[in-house]
Amino acid sequence: MLKTTSRGLRRAIVPLLLASAACDAAVDHAAGVATMKRESFGTTPSGEAVDLVTLTNAHGVELRAMTYGAIIVSLKVPDRAGQLGDVVLGYDSLAGYVKSSPYFGAIVGRYGNRIAKGKFTLDGADYTLAVNNGPNALHGGLTGFDKVVWSADTMRTAEGVGIQFRYVSKDGEEGYPGTLTATVTYTLADASEVHIGYEATTDKATPLNLTQHSYFNLAGQGDIMSHVLTLNADRFTPVDATLIPTGELALVAGTPFDFTSPHAIGDRINADHPQIAFGGGYDHNFVLTRADTGLTLAAVLKEPTSGRVLEVRTTEPGVQFYSGNFLDGTLTGKGGVVYAHRTGLCLETQHYPDSPNQKTFPSTILRPGETYRSRTVWRFGVE
Ligand code: BGC
């Protein structure tokens, strides 16, 4: 597990945590000042109040996130004509997310991705998790971090305006050992960047693999087949029919998984390849070719019509590229748009799937006394 990333940077930035209420709402971003606004976004069926925070940078880029699941509800960035458009899938209201969501915009935890048969052994003890995806455990269980209400503070740092979410997961929650205290920070920088910072501590050893599960569509509509993707990965982790890694780190060269140079996603997504068949398209962890232990370029995504470009950098060793294969037109999202097959894609920066059961993969075990630290940056631009 990568535990040191940006400590120096963190020390240099002393976050000024501000009290919750509509802090800077009066300040106008048109005047070139980033703003933050906090308001109610409804109540969960169990009666918990949910807030929505709107961050706007000096150029009008806007991120809205709520305390339920620390979900990014919308993210508006300019196209090449300067027109702002929402580039993430989701719902207009809290009720949509509560009713049924394939992790739209959410923080996934404790363990993003699959754990084989919902079982792992840690320090000689056997643990059993809920099996919620075929024979396996997926994305933290029945009530993962995407379905709980986080506390939140808005903040202004040297990087920009942000939200710091906090959640304390109880010992034994969803079958995981230890009381885990997690913070996730979204900072919207004036340079059209979203910085996602994760920190966590525990009082018992536990697997931990946090990720952000936004579904991107840089055109704001239609399918994502003509989005052009580059992945900084010479290898990926092939899976079995239930999407559990075989343990191999296979070379991508000569396969439809070679995104080391830019390719339209649709070019090879229906190729006759056993891994494509298992995933129903792309649903695989790519092993990042790392320059060092700091932020490394993971992915570049370009949408030719709008000109929008997204660069993803991370301290994590992998990225799950999921091409929205399970979207099937049964969910109706923001503005009444039906989310048809492959109308959004995820680039989930993370450790490899099933690491607790895979001895050769980088460890995902967090122990008492250690601090989990992870960082991902999304940089938006146009071309
Ligand atoms: C997984 C997919 C899954 C999706 C939504 C992705 O992270 O890799 O297999 O369908 O999340 O649950």
Side-chain angles (χ1 to χ4, degrees):
M1 174 172 310
L2 200 62
K3 295 190 188 82
T4 53
T5 54
S6 51
R7 253 179 261 188
L9 188 63
R10 267 167 206 292
R11 275 196 209 108
I13 298 164
V14 183
L16 175 61
L17 294 177
L18 300 172
S20 40
C23 341
D24 286 351
V27 184
D28 182 4
H29 68 260
V33 178
T35 63
M36 302 177 270
K37 188 175 85 179
R38 181 171 182 152
E39 61 200 310
S40 169
F41 200 52
T43 312
T44 67
S46 64
E48 284 180 280
V50 172
D51 280 359
L52 179 78
V53 176
T54 303
L55 305 176
T56 310
N57 81 3
H59 308 294
V61 171
E62 181 200 89
L63 180 151
R64 294 192 309 147
M66 65 165 155
T67 51
Y68 180 79
I71 288 171
I72 295 178
V73 173
S74 65
L75 180 53
K76 291 182 185 155
V77 301
D79 65 9
R80 69 162 76 82
Q83 205 63 40
L84 288 176
D86 189 358
V87 295
V88 294
L89 273 49
Y91 296 108
D92 288 321
S93 69
L94 173 63
Y97 291 94
V98 171
K99 188 171 166 217
S100 174
S101 172
Y103 306 88
F104 285 146
I107 289 296
V108 175
R110 285 189 199 188
Y111 200 93
N113 221 310
R114 291 171 177 80
I115 295 182
K117 303 201 163 47
K119 289 190 186 306
F120 64 92
T121 301
L122 178 55
D123 297 339
D126 295 332
Y127 293 91
T128 303
L129 311 169
V131 157
N132 60 344
N133 185 255
N136 304 315
L138 176 71
H139 290 342
L142 301 176
T143 308
F145 289 8
D146 59 299
K147 295 183 189 68
V148 298
V149 176
W150 298 59
S151 63
D153 290 291
T154 52
M155 60 186 201
R156 194 178 280 279
T157 68
E159 290 175 299
V161 285
I163 318 163
Q164 185 172 71
F165 293 100
R166 184 172 183 274
Y167 178 65
V168 180
S169 169
K170 292 197 184 68
D171 188 9
E173 190 173 302
E174 291 293 327
Y176 290 96
T179 307
L180 182 93
T181 303
T183 61
V184 174
T185 307
Y186 299 145
T187 306
L188 180 62
D190 282 335
S192 292
E193 290 177 356
V194 178
H195 298 203
I196 306 163
Y198 307 81
E199 280 196 18
T201 54
T202 185
D203 61 5
K204 283 183 196 157
T206 179
L208 183 64
N209 194 25
L210 300 175
T211 191
Q212 221 298 332
H213 208 288
S214 282
Y215 286 66
F216 295 105
N217 183 323
L218 298 184
Q221 57 179 3
D223 69 44
I224 48 81
M225 303 289 260
S226 58
H227 282 52
V228 176
L229 180 66
T230 311
L231 292 172
N232 179 21
D234 290 335
R235 293 177 185 269
F236 75 117
T237 51
V239 289
D240 67 15
T242 73
L243 302 185
I244 293 295
T246 60
E248 192 194 347
L249 305 185
L251 287 166
V252 295
T255 76
F257 294 85
D258 189 350
F259 283 93
T260 54
S261 60
H263 282 276
I265 290 168
D267 277 0
R268 301 164 299 173
I269 199 167
N270 295 316
D272 185 12
H273 188 285
Q275 287 297 316
I276 291 277
F278 287 154
Y282 296 105
D283 196 352
H284 295 79
N285 168 64
F286 286 75
V287 175
L288 295 176
T289 310
R290 302 196 61 87
D292 53 41
T293 55
L295 281 173
T296 293
L297 186 67
V300 181
L301 183 67
K302 298 184 180 181
E303 199 288 302
T305 315
S306 65
R308 291 192 183 96
V309 178
L310 165 63
E311 292 173 8
V312 178
R313 288 180 174 72
T314 188
T315 57
E316 287 296 306
V319 61
Q320 179 87 6
F321 165 38
Y322 168 55
S323 52
N325 312 310
F326 294 108
L327 296 175
D328 60 3
T330 54
L331 299 176
T332 300
K334 285 180 269 190
V337 173
V338 172
Y339 291 142
H341 197 212
R342 298 175 178 156
T343 47
L345 71 98
C346 302
L347 294 165
E348 305 155 52
T349 52
Q350 56 185 220
H351 272 56
Y352 311 161
D354 197 34
S355 295
N357 295 309
Q358 304 264 354
K359 301 264 174 300
T360 59
F361 287 179
S363 172
T364 49
I365 305 304
L366 179 71
R367 294 184 178 278
E370 298 175 342
T371 302
Y372 170 97
R373 285 191 181 87
S374 172
R375 236 170 110 75
T376 290
V377 174
W378 300 338
R379 175 186 288 169
F380 292 92
V382 288
E383 205 177 77

